Amino acid sequence: MTTTPEYAVQLKGLTKYFGKVKAVKPIDLNIEQGSLVTLLGPSGCGKTTILRMIAGLEHPTSGDIFIKGRRVNEVPIHKRNLGMIFQNYALFPHKTIFDNVAFGLKYRSVPKDEIREKVRQALELVRLPDVENRHPAQLSGGQQQRIALARAIVIEPDVLLMDEPLSALDENLREEMRREIDNLQQMIGVTTIFVTHDQREALSMSDKIVVMHDGVLQQEGPPEEVYNHPVNRTVADFLGTSTFFPATVLGREDGLYKVRLDDGTLFLVKNGRDWTDQSRVELVIRAQKPNIVPAGEDEAMDQPNHFSGKIKDRSYMGGEVSYFVELKNGLELHVVTLGDQQPMKIGRKVDVHIPPDHCGLLPASPASLGS
Ligand SMILES: Nc1ncnc2c1ncn2[C@@H]1O[C@H](COP(=O)(O)OP(=O)(O)OP(=O)(O)O)[C@@H](O)[C@H]1O
Ligand SMILES: [Mg+2]
């Protein structure tokens, strides 16, 4: 069986059950040649299991995996031509760096001179040209992970698979490695599948983000699209910080939906979807979107899209200030502002305004329907 060869990887109806645990429910996914795709989702959502099935480390319960148009379900791991990097570098501790990087080439019986040249090039690509004779223990964590990267790309894999490769590194090094992997990937153009539960990692590196939850693909698309237009609350909750208010659609005027929150507050919302009147929805407000001012300074409080409330809690984080605003309706709104103004104190009464194109609507989640 073959399929569209322009995709580097295709998953069709792929599932994996471990006894009663449905780790991966039927998933369909096309991964473009040369792209960097991240699988993003909370712990236990099935990311590693998908990667292991693509690698050939785990056999699917059902469905098919294609690499460059060839069905590989029965192809053993060493014949799939993949590069792999996992969280714990997994370098061979007793081999030199040269032998670690050369491993896959020796295995393929590549001539000696060619191995020497390819290892040299790979080490140069990861910017560690002078460590050939050292052992892994003589390198830092970040350097070891670079060697793992060199070892994975030296074989010129069809696909590079990375499972949380940066999670053992500290924050600054992560950032640096993130940029390095991103640059390297663009330079050599290798199709890459990158697993992470870190939204910043996914947003900053990916051509496409695939958001998973509970073994189900929730949404796939470019980072801006998934971030700005989440298809459901699960995705909105996972990417960014938002507050959700149950509401009812009243109608549409001048391209804006009019919705009523359960406490009676009216909102006008610009939204691309088709909602019928009386639909139950959730109003989504990203924490960075509201304008927040001391009470009395906002002169349009009788208009839609306004709340009044009181600062219940705040944390100053240098570049940003995070406020929890207790609204008159008893609900709590999370607001993050740039930290360049004098932070407002706890207990301060405030007016909050969110313009129609800065809030969103999502289908009501089962939790809010039940209430
Ligand atoms: N060998 C196994 N036997 C039984 N259950 C398993 C096995 N491997 C994974 N699972 C279960 O399958 C589900 C998905 O696991 P998986 O490792 O793919 O999640 P993940 O998204 O990679 O999570 P994390 O972010 O914590 O690494 C989990 O419920 C897990 O407990
Ligand atoms: Mg995992």
Side-chain angles (χ1 to χ4, degrees):
M1 190 163 31
T2 57
T3 182
T4 346
E6 66 258 33
Y7 292 117
V9 179
Q10 265 192 309
L11 310 180
K12 292 192 175 181
L14 191 68
T15 68
K16 182 68 191 181
Y17 301 163
F18 296 103
K20 281 187 184 152
V21 179
K22 297 186 171 180
V24 178
K25 294 169 193 165
I27 175 170
D28 292 292
L29 186 63
N30 296 331
I31 295 181
E32 308 266 350
Q33 200 71 252
S35 63
L36 193 158
V37 172
T38 49
L39 302 182
L40 175 70
S43 185
C45 72
K47 306 180 295 292
T48 295
T49 306
I50 292 175
L51 214 64
R52 287 174 57 85
M53 286 194 281
I54 296 171
L57 291 162
E58 205 78 71
H59 200 75
T61 303
S62 62
D64 296 303
I65 302 168
F66 298 86
I67 296 178
K68 285 195 160 170
R70 176 174 72 132
R71 185 174 177 275
V72 296
N73 286 47
E74 318 306 333
V75 177
I77 175 167
H78 59 279
K79 292 199 173 150
R80 294 193 186 189
N81 198 34
L82 305 169
M84 278 180 272
I85 304 180
F86 295 101
Q87 182 175 349
N88 48 353
Y89 331 124
L91 297 176
F92 304 111
H94 302 299
K95 288 186 195 286
T96 63
I97 298 307
F98 180 89
D99 286 338
N100 264 282
V101 177
F103 181 76
L105 296 172
K106 285 187 178 162
Y107 188 85
R108 282 153 209 245
S109 320
V110 175
K112 253 189 169 166
D113 290 352
E114 207 178 318
I115 292 183
R116 183 143 287 290
E117 181 54 21
K118 286 191 165 170
V119 170
R120 192 188 61 74
Q121 284 175 2
L123 287 174
E124 221 155 68
L125 272 175
V126 299
R127 299 195 294 121
L128 281 175
D130 303 319
V131 299
E132 290 192 357
N133 298 321
R134 291 199 216 169
H135 283 83
Q138 295 167 305
L139 297 178
S140 72
Q143 289 170 333
Q144 289 185 47
Q145 202 53 319
R146 284 205 186 110
I147 298 304
L149 191 58
R151 187 178 61 178
I153 59 175
V154 78
I155 59 161
E156 295 168 38
D158 288 331
V159 185
L160 188 57
L161 304 175
M162 300 202 229
D163 193 353
E164 313 241 6
L166 308 181
S167 55
L169 307 177
D170 69 44
E171 188 56 37
N172 290 338
L173 198 53
R174 275 178 86 119
E175 175 89 41
E176 191 186 319
M177 282 297 291
R178 187 152 74 204
R179 287 188 12 226
E180 213 153 292
I181 290 174
D182 203 6
N183 290 340
L184 188 71
Q185 193 272 337
Q186 285 180 22
M187 200 151 63
I188 62 176
V190 60
T191 308
T192 301
I193 309 179
F194 188 100
V195 162
T196 181
H197 61 261
D198 181 331
Q199 51 163 302
R200 282 200 305 169
E201 224 159 81
L203 287 167
S204 65
M205 300 174 76
S206 318
D207 295 307
K208 174 155 93 175
I209 296 182
V210 176
V211 185
M212 299 286 305
H213 186 80
D214 210 6
V216 178
L217 188 158
Q218 303 287 324
Q219 185 170 6
E220 56 173 299
E224 306 78 32
E225 185 184 314
V226 178
Y227 184 82
N228 289 316
H229 305 287
V231 294
N232 59 33
R233 176 156 175 177
T234 305
V235 177
D237 243 346
F238 201 73
L239 282 163
T241 308
S242 307
T243 308
F244 302 87
F245 295 110
T248 305
V249 175
L250 299 183
R252 191 172 190 172
E253 284 168 26
D254 304 328
L256 297 178
Y257 284 101
K258 189 176 201 177
V259 303
R260 188 179 54 223
L261 307 199
D262 291 0
D263 71 343
T265 309
L266 292 177
F267 261 80
L268 297 172
V269 184
K270 191 168 170 190
N271 193 261
R273 298 194 205 195
D274 275 329
W275 301 100
T276 48
D277 290 0
Q278 300 307 313
S279 301
R280 287 292 285 164
V281 291
E282 278 185 278
L283 177 73
V284 189
I285 301 173
R286 290 262 187 226
Q288 289 77 9
K289 298 298 187 187
N291 303 316
I292 179 168
V293 294
E297 287 187 15
D298 187 333
E299 287 169 4
M301 288 304 288
D302 52 341
Q303 301 292 313
N305 298 42
H306 286 79
F307 285 125
S308 54
K310 188 168 81 176
I311 293 175
K312 190 178 165 198
D313 211 346
R314 85 160 199 213
S315 34
Y316 179 71
M317 298 179 293
E320 296 177 333
V321 187
S322 172
Y323 294 107
F324 288 93
V325 180
E326 189 178 342
L327 303 175
K328 284 247 170 77
N329 60 20
L331 298 169
E332 196 176 89
L333 178 70
H334 190 181
V335 182
V336 173
T337 65
L338 291 176
D340 50 3
Q341 299 149 355
Q342 183 68 17
M344 290 184 277
K345 291 202 164 67
I346 292 174
R348 174 111 206 202
K349 288 194 171 146
V350 290
D351 293 339
V352 182
H353 171 229
I354 307 104
D357 50 353
H358 283 179
C359 36
L361 294 178
L362 287 174
S365 67
S368 69
L369 281 174
S371 66

